[in-house]
Amino acid sequence: MTMRGLRKRKFTAWIAMSASALATLIGLAVLALILWTLISRGLGGLSLDVFTQMTPAPGNAGGLLNALFGSLAMTLIGFIIGTPIGVLAGTYLAEYGRGSRLSMLIRFINDVLLSAPSIIVGLFVYTLLVTTMGHFSAIAGAVALAMILIPVVVRTTEDMLVIVPDSIRHGSAALGAHPWRTITSIVYPAAKRGLVTGALLGIARISGETAPLLFTALNNQFWSTDLNKPMANLPVVIFQFAMSPYQDWQSLAWTGALLITTFVLALSIIARVLSGRSGDRHTL
Amino acid sequence: MPPTARSRHSTRALMSREARIERAFRGLTLGSAVTVLVLLSGIIATLVHGSWPALSAFKLQFLTTEIWNPVTEKFGALAPLYGTVVTATIAMLIAIPLAFGIAIFLTETCPRWLRGPISTGIELLAAVPSIVYGIWGLFVLAPLLQRHVQPWLIDVAAPIPGIRMLFSGPPYGIGVLTAGLVLAIMVLPFITSVMREVFRMTPIALKEAAYGVGATQWEVVWDVVVPASRVGIVGGVMLGLGRALGETMAVTFVIGNAHRISSSLLAPGTTISAAIANEFTEAVGDLYTSSLISLGLLLFVITFVVIAAARLLLLRLELRTGRMQ
């Protein structure tokens, strides 16, 4: 090989590897830009009023109290409905049904649901609950969120249970324990961190969801704790306020966006630290 | 009752109680697992049922008609379908090279201590809620494009026949191109994550052998790592594509929501998910609602095929190499 060929090859390599570093820089810069925008536009509107006042009519002062409450309530109910189903389903895939055809199918469908458009879930719950009940309701919103949470929890639960070594299952079985006892008193505790991680990732996933709430919980300008009625929630309020022509509404939307992002990113980071891994393939 | 008999009796009672719980618990886990299948079947059933009125009224013309007129009750999916495909294509054209670069950087050149923080940073892009991408796209990215990028694109493209029409018309800021750009950022972490995983699985021996015969770092990447990761790369890209096709809120903010097909990427348009998000609660009349649900069915079928194909590819990979770690 001639010197010239080598120099050319080294030059190509240098260009390519620099381009890869540049790509990384671009990715990180976009994240920084988004976070900086959120802080610079959202922080100014952050006051006690945000947490104590209702969403205002255009031109009035107000806060996000009803939206924060609604988001919290629906996320919590969605979590309470979805987590047990997700954990139990993940348990089946990892324990009872490990290697079976049915598990293969369920795992595959679950992975598809994990990436499926969330607006489809909104349409589904609309038909299932809103049209049958005759009106939008917080409970329909919570159910929609639960349906989005389930695949996340199923996937993390299974992943976390299969890495528990089989030897301790065998040990428990040798002492005469039924599988359910082995699972609940040996396997679950051993995988505790992982299960908590899964739950946190699930909450992070649903607390920012907007599309499935648009035609289930809808929105409510007023304070409401009635699960049977439309309920305000942060994502839909942000959507409505940001798209409006009113300056004060837009500013509240930014504050809401800052709150929601801080919450979700904090959860993701805690989940990451808990699971002790940087590669987060569970919510792929 | 003698003591031995009693303890035997209670042991048996305990055992049957344990066995009963076992059956119940097992049934509970199985039932929960089957819920996943029920969810999917339920989604398909309601979508098909809900779209029936529109599909039986418009038949296959639903897919080939651009008209979307609530007043005359004539509906066609062509414009949102076009918007969905075009925005997703733009997103992939931008996101694939970026994701490839980031994955290469993270697996090959990045110093070990920086790997964790940088991976986390990129993955946090996936955690940012889509509504936040929407508001950011509308208030930050769109004005930026309108003022600085789009006028330049129009000037540059003007003398080039064929390209000209892609960048014609006034720079609105919002539109198909902006939506594609926001989507690119949103799917970037997903594609990067899969690519990084598969790059990392390249056998070290192969890479060392290539370095041994004098290959440069880039040659190792291009001639060893990439061929060894082909299946995974395609799987990751399709997973990202599935996301891009179905993403709703961010697109709804920045695409302009116009039911028309324009040759210019700078013009407003719509996508399937944006049309549903925008119009569903305001749709009056059964045919209008049913047409929107038909759009949902169409989106579901498209994303299902893409995501299922991606998952099958990645599954094949996992089976070949053991579970991805």
Side-chain angles (χ1 to χ4, degrees), chain A residues 115-123 148 205 209-213, chain B residues 246-248:
Chain A
S115 317
S118 57
I119 192 154
I120 299 286
V121 173
L123 282 179
I148 290 166
R205 173 77 198 269
E209 277 290 351
T210 316
L213 294 178
Chain B
E247 173 49 45
T248 308

Side-chain angles (χ1 to χ4, degrees), chain A residues 9 16 20 24 31 37 88 92 96 111 115 120 124 159 178-181 235 242 261 264 272 278 280-281 284, chain B residues 18 21-22 26 30 32 42 46 101 105 121 123 127 131-132 136 139-140 214 218-219 249 296 307 311 323-324:
Chain A
R9 285 169 53 220
S20 79
T24 311
L31 178 71
T37 312
L88 287 170
Y92 181 80
Y96 291 113
D111 280 352
S115 317
I120 299 286
F124 175 48
D159 283 351
H178 278 283
W180 77 270
R181 200 165 268 286
T261 311
V264 172
R272 206 169 294 268
S278 60
D280 166 21
R281 65 203 178 80
L284 280 181
Chain B
E18 291 273 307
I21 299 180
E22 173 62 29
R26 192 193 163 97
L30 177 63
S32 301
T46 51
F105 181 76
E123 278 164 23
I131 184 107
V132 173
W136 180 79
F139 288 103
V140 179
W218 170 246
E219 284 161 351
M249 294 321 293
I307 298 168
R311 291 293 178 189
R323 288 185 78 86
M324 276 162 66

Side-chain angles (χ1 to χ4, degrees), chain A residues 153-174:
Chain A
V153 178
V154 172
R155 180 69 198 258
T156 39
T157 304
E158 194 206 349
D159 283 351
M160 293 306 165
L161 295 187
V162 290
I163 57 175
V164 173
D166 270 343
S167 53
I168 70 168
R169 287 190 185 86
H170 297 157
S172 173

Side-chain angles (χ1 to χ4, degrees), chain B residues 27 30 46 54-55 62 78 97-98 121 124 161 170 263 281 304 309 322 324-325:
Chain B
L30 177 63
T46 51
L55 291 187
F62 185 70
L78 196 59
L98 277 181
L124 283 185
S263 65
T281 44
F304 189 91
M324 276 162 66
Q325 264 309 334

Side-chain angles (χ1 to χ4, degrees), chain A residues 30-242:
Chain A
V30 170
L31 178 71
L33 190 59
I34 291 173
L35 295 182
W36 185 79
T37 312
L38 279 173
I39 291 170
S40 68
R41 299 209 182 188
L43 205 57
L46 202 60
S47 65
L48 203 59
D49 282 358
V50 171
F51 302 98
T52 55
Q53 303 282 311
M54 304 298 155
T55 47
N60 294 348
L64 295 166
L65 178 62
N66 48 342
L68 287 167
F69 170 81
S71 273
L72 213 61
M74 283 188 279
T75 304
L76 194 67
I77 298 171
F79 175 75
I80 291 170
I81 300 173
T83 310
I85 297 179
V87 169
L88 287 170
T91 305
Y92 181 80
L93 298 184
E95 304 286 337
Y96 291 113
R98 194 188 291 188
S100 75
R101 255 162 202 270
L102 179 66
S103 294
M104 292 271 281
L105 176 70
I106 290 173
R107 184 177 304 121
F108 177 70
I109 296 297
N110 189 68
D111 280 352
V112 172
L113 287 178
L114 199 59
S115 317
S118 57
I119 192 154
I120 299 286
V121 173
L123 282 179
F124 175 48
V125 176
Y126 174 86
T127 322
L128 194 72
L129 291 178
V130 178
T131 46
T132 50
M133 286 164 56
H135 53 83
F136 299 98
S137 67
I139 197 72
V143 169
L145 292 183
M147 287 182 186
I148 290 166
L149 177 99
I150 288 172
V152 181
V153 178
V154 172
R155 180 69 198 258
T156 39
T157 304
E158 194 206 349
D159 283 351
M160 293 306 165
L161 295 187
V162 290
I163 57 175
V164 173
D166 270 343
S167 53
I168 70 168
R169 287 190 185 86
H170 297 157
S172 173
L175 292 173
H178 278 283
W180 77 270
R181 200 165 268 286
T182 303
I183 293 167
T184 51
S185 14
I186 306 288
V187 181
Y188 282 167
K192 196 169 63 195
R193 246 164 206 261
L195 297 180
V196 173
T197 306
L200 290 182
L201 287 175
I203 298 177
R205 173 77 198 269
I206 60 173
S207 50
E209 277 290 351
T210 316
L213 294 178
L214 282 174
F215 11 97
T216 52
L218 201 66
N219 197 357
N220 193 336
Q221 214 196 315
F222 306 103
W223 174 258
S224 165
T225 54
D226 189 348
L227 293 179
N228 212 9
K229 292 224 174 77
M231 192 182 266
N233 56 88
L234 212 42
V236 177
V237 167
I238 294 173
F239 179 48
Q240 188 195 343
F241 281 18

